[in-house]
Amino acid sequence: MARITELLARGRTFSFEFFPPKTDAAQLSLGRTIAELETLHPSFVSVTYGAGGSTRERTRDLVTWMRRETTISPMAHLTCVGHTRGDIEEILQAYVDAGVENILALGGDPPTDPADVRPSDYRFASDLVHELQAAGQFSIGVAAHPEVHPRSSSRTEDREFLAQKLRLADFAITQFFFEAEHYVRLVEELAALGIDKPIIPGIMPVTNKSQVQRMAEMSGAAFPQDLAERLAKVDDPEDVRRIGVEAATELCAQLLDAGAPGLHFYTLNRSSATREIYANLGLPVVSSAT
Ligand code: FAD
């Protein structure tokens, strides 16, 4: 088990994100994915958290299972929306008891249905970062938004609040984006505010046209015209995947050239695109599973 802060101090990290499965079949499929990706020896993996606590037990169970049963260091995502101080204390105690030391502190998104709104003692991710810092045991990550968070009123405000968060936290992982210049600009803007903590770019390989375009719209990530045109010319899902993997490989290579301290892959609980990108980049691949 390793603290991400220490892994980053030693060198580049390569990491994967999973979400907690909802059904037994999805659980089995994720088990296979984890077994396949474990052979790539990721530096760490992270597990998402349903805002408002909708995956509270499932996130905790997956993170603590990985801590116990695999060789991979897990990081638990945690959001402030819908949580009281008591809730957060309880969740953090469970992680301390299980030996989990890495937490990604997030704002989370407010529920769309007013019936799901629950009282919250926290408003912004930085409130949660304060709590984690006071606990003293955790390596703390936060989210960064290269193309500016959709709720930020300006780029300047976005960067100032992010810098405030990063003065306390240890590192950031970015929202996905498709052009390296967004990442480079983010790092430069943070440097101008005196922040030199590691900013790990988040990578989302296109494996399915409609899904990525929808997610890009939700996250505010601009979809590049040339990639859209290449994808528009193909219909076969295998061709879409191939183009997506090529584009993601190119993006990763540019980010590594630009000095990124690591790469974090949004896997959507599947292994094959990530394994292909790993192979294309010349990173070690041991598994031949599909
Ligand atoms: P914050 O840092 O709280 O920022 C949200 C907005 O508030 C920004 O516009 C910011 O500029 C502004 N702001 C911050 N501080 C202040 C302040 N003091 N005063 C006024 N305005 C302020 N969501 C989930 O629900 N579960 C997950 O597991 C999850 N994982 C994610 C992983 C990564 C790597 C990323 C990038 C995002 C993830 N998200 C997840 C989405 C995230 O919760 C949303 O993007 C959310 O809207 C913002 O989260 P944040 O941590 O950036 O929030």
Side-chain angles (χ1 to χ4, degrees), residues 64 67 89-101 103 135 137-138:
T64 53
R67 170 76 183 89
E89 253 170 48
E90 212 177 286
I91 294 168
L92 294 183
Q93 190 56 51
Y95 285 135
V96 170
D97 293 346
V100 174
E101 297 175 289
I103 306 276
Q137 283 113 324
F138 298 104

Side-chain angles (χ1 to χ4, degrees), residues 46-81:
S46 78
V47 179
T48 64
Y49 190 82
S54 57
T55 67
R56 180 169 168 167
E57 281 76 25
R58 283 186 284 126
T59 296
R60 184 204 54 210
D61 291 351
L62 182 55
V63 169
T64 53
W65 173 81
M66 282 202 282
R67 170 76 183 89
R68 251 189 350 262
E69 306 291 339
T70 74
T71 56
I72 310 175
S73 295
M75 170 167 72
H77 294 205
L78 190 56
T79 63
C80 41
V81 168

Side-chain angles (χ1 to χ4, degrees), residues 48-49 51 77 106-109 124-125 145 149 151-152 161 165 266:
T48 64
Y49 190 82
H77 294 205
L106 298 149
D109 290 312
F124 300 110
H145 305 271
H149 188 276
R151 286 202 299 274
S152 293
F161 285 129
K165 212 164 52 166
Y266 292 102

